[in-house]
Amino acid sequence: MFEIPKLKHTDSGNFFLMAGPCAIEGEDMAMQIAERIKTITDKLQVPWIFKGSYRKANRSRIDSFTGIGDEKALRILEKVGKEFDVPTVTDIHESNEAAMAAAFVDVLQIPAFLCRQTDLLIAAANTGKVVNVKKGQFLSGNSMRYAVDKVRESGNEKVILTDRGNSFGYSDLVVDFRNLPEMQATGAPVVMDVTHSLQQPNQSSGVTGGKPALIETIAKAAIAVGADGLFIETHPQPSIAKSDGANMLPLDQLEDLLQKLIRIRQAVR
């Protein structure tokens, strides 16, 4: 895999991890989560990228939490990266956000619903940062080669692909594990977004539901299939998280899960 700044333990043979809260809710929360994940990933020698959205643009209801302010949240991401010497990733939503976010983080993430937005992909690529493109819930793994081409043909070879399930009816998602090897055929590292693939969107309440009890199941299967990395949103108290709490992993369960996944990784290798 291409070099990601500050990414440690890449010689351990383990999968890499993108993990953190769904959204940056405040500095204390972000630092608490980052400190705990760093302790765990250093102990287990799992390469780790801290994830946190500086703004949530895709919300069902107008009164849903969207963020604490762009610059404030981005500076918290920057502080996490510096204090814990860890790379950071956040999602961007419009082309004019790419350069702004790139000044604070190491990886720019393209949300699944926006993975076909050519101008957004080009803007992200032009920053020179690593670009993580999430596969649309409406696309096959094979079709993501065009997103990869857009980034590479813009002069940036540093692209990651992430699967987060496919739409199944109106209010559910299903994971088709054929997508992982199909996307790996592009030569890009492939990540399984474990927690978002367990969402149940479009609920009548306007609040997305989820099936967090299946996090371990999806994660185990992804590693067995050969995923290069995992994406897991985690929070000390998912029930009070301001975004996507219904499908997040309780932080105190992360270490045990990673230990199980490392054993699977060792077996399949």
Side-chain angles (χ1 to χ4, degrees), residues 8 21 37 74-75 100 106 126 133 201 215 236:
K8 307 293 192 303
I37 299 177
L74 285 167
R75 291 199 179 280
M100 174 186 70
D106 304 285
N126 286 342
V133 188
I215 287 173

Side-chain angles (χ1 to χ4, degrees), residues 47-210:
W48 166 55
I49 301 168
F50 179 82
K51 184 270 169 184
S53 296
Y54 73 90
R55 173 157 40 95
K56 301 301 296 182
N58 178 18
R59 302 284 84 190
S60 296
R61 296 177 4 185
I62 196 169
D63 60 348
S64 296
F65 174 80
T66 57
I68 59 174
D70 292 356
E71 184 174 352
K72 184 177 180 180
L74 285 167
R75 291 199 179 280
I76 290 171
L77 283 163
E78 182 181 46
K79 183 173 181 178
V80 168
K82 288 180 177 178
E83 291 215 6
F84 296 102
D85 194 26
V86 61
T88 54
V89 57
T90 198
D91 27 8
I92 59 173
H93 318 92
E94 298 183 38
S95 302
N96 60 9
E97 297 176 21
M100 174 186 70
F104 297 93
V105 301
D106 304 285
V107 182
L108 297 178
Q109 181 168 287
I110 308 300
F113 282 130
L114 303 177
C115 68
R116 286 170 50 90
Q117 296 296 102
T118 301
D119 288 349
L120 181 60
L121 289 164
I122 292 172
N126 286 342
T127 67
K129 298 288 185 175
V130 179
V131 181
N132 178 36
V133 188
K134 286 197 170 184
K135 184 188 73 62
Q137 301 92 323
F138 44 86
L139 292 176
S140 69
N142 279 325
S143 64
M144 288 302 291
R145 67 183 185 272
Y146 301 112
V148 173
D149 288 345
K150 289 175 183 178
V151 176
R152 289 176 175 164
E153 291 173 16
S154 300
N156 188 340
E157 295 291 324
K158 297 178 289 187
V159 58
I160 297 170
L161 293 177
T162 295
D163 191 12
R164 47 97 18 101
N166 282 79
S167 296
F168 187 71
Y170 291 115
S171 302
D172 207 356
L173 297 168
V174 65
V175 177
D176 180 352
F177 285 99
R178 295 176 298 179
N179 286 327
L180 274 62
E182 287 178 357
M183 292 194 293
Q184 284 173 327
T186 66
V190 171
V191 174
M192 183 72 235
D193 182 343
V194 178
T195 46
H196 282 108
S197 69
L198 291 168
Q199 282 184 334
Q200 293 182 299
N202 305 319
Q203 300 296 305
S204 59
S205 65
V207 178
T208 296

Side-chain angles (χ1 to χ4, degrees), residues 13-70:
N14 286 326
F15 53 87
F16 69 96
L17 177 68
M18 293 183 178
C22 177
I24 298 299
E25 300 173 8
E27 183 174 320
D28 289 346
M29 179 275 292
M31 300 300 283
Q32 175 189 353
I33 294 173
E35 182 176 23
R36 181 62 186 140
I37 299 177
K38 180 173 175 59
T39 299
I40 294 168
T41 53
D42 280 353
K43 175 183 175 181
L44 301 179
Q45 294 194 310
V46 173
W48 166 55
I49 301 168
F50 179 82
K51 184 270 169 184
S53 296
Y54 73 90
R55 173 157 40 95
K56 301 301 296 182
N58 178 18
R59 302 284 84 190
S60 296
R61 296 177 4 185
I62 196 169
D63 60 348
S64 296
F65 174 80
T66 57
I68 59 174
D70 292 356

